[in-house]
Amino acid sequence: MPPIRGWTAQDFQIDPSRPLYEQFVEQIRAMIARGELEPGTRLPSVRETAASLRVNPTTVMKAYQELERLELIVTFRGQGTFVTQAEEAIRLTRRQLAKEAVRRLEETARSIGITLEELWELSREKE
Amino acid sequence: MMAQASGARAAGEKKATAVKCDNVEVAIKRKLILNGISFDIPAGSLTGLLGPNGAGKSTLMRLLTGLLEPDSGRVELFGRPAGTDRLGELSFLPDRGQLPPHLTAGGWLDLAAGIYPDWNREREEELARELGVYRDKKIGTMSRGEEARLQLLTCLAREAPLIILDEPFAGVDMISRERIASAVVAEMADGQRTFLIATHDIREMEQLFDRIVLIGEGAIRGVHDVEELRLGGRSVESCYRDVFS
């Protein structure tokens, strides 16, 4: 099993004018999607995470709860919190992230009055 | 079964109030220092007391410790009036407080362990490791950051439910500030302790606060839940600027 993964404040880019727990959820989710946090990795406890990131423990608790609801992490009583081993949950998250990215691209395309396909073509046109 | 039932009850209960000020006034030499101060701090929270120099932060903290009495209004800790008889329930770090320079850290900690009935030796050792405090070091030879870490250790090694820190970062180097912030957060993770921290270092601390109380010219200028501020797209710093500049 991959070893416990400790965080440092440098692992996260935090915007102080947006809810903090949302940003931790987004960034940990992306780490799991890209395999930087491997399935089965043990995450540090709420107390350890709060201390190493220097954030309120309630924030960490809310982030962990949301990641659990998304089935990306699992807590086993007395053993700790781990990245899910369920390939399906990770695949689903990658698909959601892809959809979100495409939606943002579509917005960009619409803002300059073209479709997503046209945006793609246009970006690949030779000078 | 039992655990489930008590868990459900805890979830339904409203959080207790650790500190309550109701229309508090203080005048010193006929000058009004605090004027109509009213606010609450829920138990288990970390509240920042923010405001410019001379706003009345230290006076307000002295009221909570019972070292100063209000001219009018009420100050309550955990539902009962504040006063010197409540000193056992709170741990106070005064601004620019000094420890005896001729003692070593260990000498001081032994002395403190004898003074405070709620001193926890096991916690003391754990905190000394976390904060990087070395028992052999003489206080008189410590940097400001080292002394600040020892002062925080002195506050946290007690089991008092309310911790009041007045400017714990003033003049403290970055690494010591980070260690102090980490120790504070770790200490509140079990939700048993309530922290009130007066500070200028908003950027360093804003991720730690649940709640902020803004005070200026002796009056409350706002009380905010920090995550609610962020839901509205505001940071603690921008809120502070809106109020005070």
Side-chain angles (χ1 to χ4, degrees):
Chain A
M1 189 179 289
I4 184 164
R5 168 71 145 79
W7 313 110
T8 68
Q10 282 75 43
D11 288 327
F12 296 90
Q13 257 98 52
I14 295 301
D15 172 355
S17 58
R18 285 181 51 215
L20 297 187
Y21 88 94
E22 269 180 28
Q23 301 180 62
F24 287 116
V25 169
E26 281 165 14
Q27 293 177 34
I28 294 172
R29 193 170 159 230
M31 289 176 199
I32 295 173
R34 64 174 178 262
E36 188 186 319
L37 277 180
E38 289 173 53
T41 305
R42 181 160 157 228
L43 300 181
S45 68
V46 168
R47 182 184 194 272
E48 289 162 337
T49 305
S52 58
L53 301 180
R54 295 185 292 282
V55 296
N56 196 293
T58 315
T59 305
V60 180
M61 214 177 326
K62 271 171 82 178
Y64 276 20
Q65 278 166 359
E66 178 63 10
L67 289 162
E68 252 175 76
R69 203 188 60 78
L70 295 169
E71 296 177 10
L72 289 174
I73 65 175
V74 240
T75 298
F76 296 107
R77 229 181 243 199
Q79 293 177 57
T81 300
F82 301 84
V83 175
T84 183
Q85 305 260 20
E87 299 282 331
E88 186 50 35
I90 297 175
R91 204 157 40 233
L92 186 70
T93 283
R94 289 167 61 93
R95 197 157 66 227
Q96 279 163 350
L97 288 172
K99 282 184 177 167
E100 285 163 23
V102 168
R103 200 161 43 238
R104 282 194 298 273
L105 262 187
E106 272 172 343
E107 267 169 39
T108 307
R110 203 170 321 124
S111 74
I112 53 176
I114 56 178
T115 66
L116 184 58
E117 289 71 20
E118 285 165 342
L119 182 78
W120 180 247
E121 288 304 321
L122 191 59
S123 75
R124 293 171 63 90
E125 246 175 42
K126 297 248 158 54
E127 291 287 312
Chain B
M1 279 294 279
M2 290 275 286
Q4 251 178 0
S6 73
R9 194 165 58 237
E13 264 169 23
K14 248 194 104 187
K15 275 228 160 178
T17 303
V19 173
K20 186 179 180 64
C21 284
D22 188 13
N23 208 14
V24 169
E25 274 187 26
V26 172
I28 296 175
K29 292 181 188 155
R30 283 200 232 147
K31 188 172 179 268
L32 209 52
I33 305 290
L34 294 177
N35 183 8
I37 298 279
S38 297
F39 68 94
D40 296 349
I41 297 178
S45 71
L46 194 158
T47 299
L49 180 63
L50 310 178
N53 278 328
K57 298 193 292 291
S58 293
T59 306
L60 181 54
M61 292 189 143
R62 277 165 42 95
L63 277 178
L64 301 181
T65 63
L67 297 171
L68 181 72
E69 275 187 43
D71 293 304
S72 66
R74 275 189 328 185
V75 182
E76 288 181 355
L77 308 181
F78 303 105
R80 290 190 298 120
T84 43
D85 58 326
R86 309 290 304 278
L87 277 172
E89 290 163 71
L90 64 91
S91 194
F92 177 49
L93 183 124
D95 186 17
R96 284 181 289 249
Q98 278 184 340
L99 303 176
H102 60 282
L103 290 181
T104 59
W108 164 252
L109 291 171
D110 292 343
L111 188 71
I115 295 173
Y116 297 112
D118 60 351
W119 192 267
N120 182 330
R121 278 283 184 184
E122 222 171 283
R123 289 294 300 130
E124 174 202 313
E125 282 163 27
E126 221 171 291
L127 284 160
R129 266 196 308 279
E130 284 173 19
L131 286 163
V133 167
Y134 304 103
R135 291 184 64 91
D136 301 340
K137 186 128 190 190
K138 210 167 163 189
I139 291 171
T141 67
M142 287 183 176
S143 69
R144 170 73 191 116
E146 284 174 297
E147 190 173 347
R149 282 183 271 138
L150 178 57
Q151 285 171 327
L152 184 76
L153 197 168
T154 310
C155 271
L156 298 184
R158 294 181 48 201
E159 286 170 347
L162 176 62
I163 318 264
I164 299 179
L165 310 177
D166 194 358
E167 297 288 353
F169 297 113
V172 174
D173 62 284
M174 190 185 78
I175 302 297
S176 293
R177 284 207 304 270
E178 291 184 354
R179 295 185 94 144
I180 288 173
S182 292
V184 166
V185 177
E187 203 53 45
M188 69 172 302
D190 59 4
Q192 300 299 309
R193 300 181 121 181
T194 306
F195 281 81
L196 176 66
I197 304 180
T199 182
H200 285 106
D201 297 72
I202 295 179
R203 261 185 232 172
E204 195 82 38
M205 293 294 293
E206 72 176 309
Q207 303 190 359
L208 301 188
F209 299 138
D210 293 296
R211 196 177 166 81
I212 51 171
V213 174
L214 301 169
I215 179 170
E217 291 169 358
I220 297 292
R221 306 286 302 273
V223 178
H224 301 278
D225 176 299
V226 171
E227 280 289 271
E228 260 166 44
L229 278 180
R230 295 193 186 109
L231 270 174
R234 295 168 81 197
S235 66
V236 171
E237 198 185 341
S238 68
C239 177
Y240 185 92
R241 278 182 204 286
D242 290 348
V243 171
F244 293 112
S245 63

